[in-house]
Amino acid sequence: WKRVFDIVFSLLVVLSTLPVWLLIMLAIKAEDGGPVFFRHPRVMAGGKRFDCLKFRSMQIDAHQRLEHVLAEDPLLRQEWQARFKLRNDPRVTKVGTVLRRFSMDELPQFLNVLAGDMSVVGARPVVPEELEKYYREATLTYCAMKPGITGPWQVSARPETVDYAGRVELDRRYILNCTIWTDLKIIARTVWRVVFAARP
């Protein structure tokens, strides 16, 4: 049921948001002339790697600038080591700030779903380093299912306060107890958060 649901839901989303995709692509190109999409290696079912797609929300040389940013600010370096992301990342572009506020940077991941790399709902897509460092005995459980565009961590009451062990546990519980009703609830809560509680 999950694969059928993923295909139908993703097609509906992509087709209904095509004008938004066009506007976003034009805005990204107009700001700095760089590539529209950002590809980042993540872990999928079976432990394989795939390129997770996003609309590019950072500066063109963001990867090279990361080392400089972390070296200049110990607090940012500590946050990166704990979360593998920065809440107020100085590398984000003006267009990227708007995209991230309303989670529109993640729209291309529906193409990942159609390609069979991801699900609409699932565990968080993690980089290989995260899987090795944090999941440990939960690694096999994590690799038993495709990662999701959204999931239990994204719709938790205060996701930014959940430590990494808590994230792993949320993923583990979801994978072991996944039902279509759980997925529908998570999608509904995701829509509510995007529309009414967009992150600053």
Side-chain angles (χ1 to χ4, degrees):
W1 64 265
K2 197 167 180 65
R3 181 58 182 157
V4 173
F5 177 84
D6 283 345
I7 292 173
V8 173
F9 188 87
S10 296
L11 282 174
L12 290 174
V13 171
V14 171
L15 292 175
S16 64
T17 58
L18 277 179
V20 177
W21 286 56
L22 180 58
L23 290 174
I24 291 173
M25 290 188 285
L26 291 174
I28 293 173
K29 277 293 183 183
E31 182 168 15
D32 58 19
V36 170
F37 296 106
F38 172 73
R39 302 170 184 268
H40 200 259
R42 301 291 170 127
V43 179
M44 63 182 293
K48 299 178 181 179
R49 301 186 186 189
F50 73 100
D51 286 333
C52 186
L53 297 175
K54 286 189 176 185
F55 282 123
R56 182 174 60 84
S57 60
M58 290 191 184
Q59 297 162 349
I60 298 172
D61 60 345
H63 182 71
Q64 290 79 5
R65 286 169 54 86
L66 179 61
E67 290 185 10
H68 176 74
V69 168
L70 299 183
E72 290 290 317
D73 193 323
L75 291 179
L76 289 180
R77 183 170 64 250
Q78 183 178 0
E79 182 183 356
W80 178 264
Q81 291 172 345
R83 304 176 64 218
F84 280 88
K85 65 186 302 183
L86 302 175
R87 182 170 174 79
N88 296 305
D89 198 318
R91 301 170 297 159
V92 177
T93 63
K94 292 179 181 179
V95 172
T97 299
V98 177
L99 294 180
R100 289 183 171 208
R101 182 180 179 87
F102 298 100
S103 299
M104 291 187 293
D105 57 318
E106 298 180 357
L107 278 174
Q109 290 177 20
F110 285 104
L111 299 180
N112 284 125
V113 175
L114 291 174
D117 301 326
M118 298 179 68
S119 285
V120 175
V121 182
R124 292 173 54 253
V126 299
V127 299
E129 293 80 7
E130 288 179 273
L131 190 68
E132 295 171 6
K133 184 175 181 179
Y134 295 107
Y135 280 76
R136 299 176 183 176
E137 65 271 12
T139 297
L140 291 178
T141 302
Y142 180 89
C143 293
M145 184 178 287
K146 299 172 186 176
I149 297 175
T150 187
W153 175 73
Q154 289 90 332
V155 299
S156 60
R158 293 287 300 278
E160 68 276 7
T161 66
V162 180
D163 61 20
Y164 216 104
R167 297 184 192 184
V168 172
E169 180 60 18
L170 285 172
D171 286 344
R172 190 188 69 84
R173 288 181 184 177
Y174 169 80
I175 293 170
L176 295 177
N177 300 285
C178 173
T179 68
I180 191 171
W181 306 115
T182 300
D183 281 12
L184 291 174
K185 289 178 183 178
I186 289 175
I187 290 171
R189 292 172 66 184
T190 299
V191 172
W192 186 91
R193 287 183 66 87
V194 169
V195 175
F196 299 106
R199 60 182 184 270

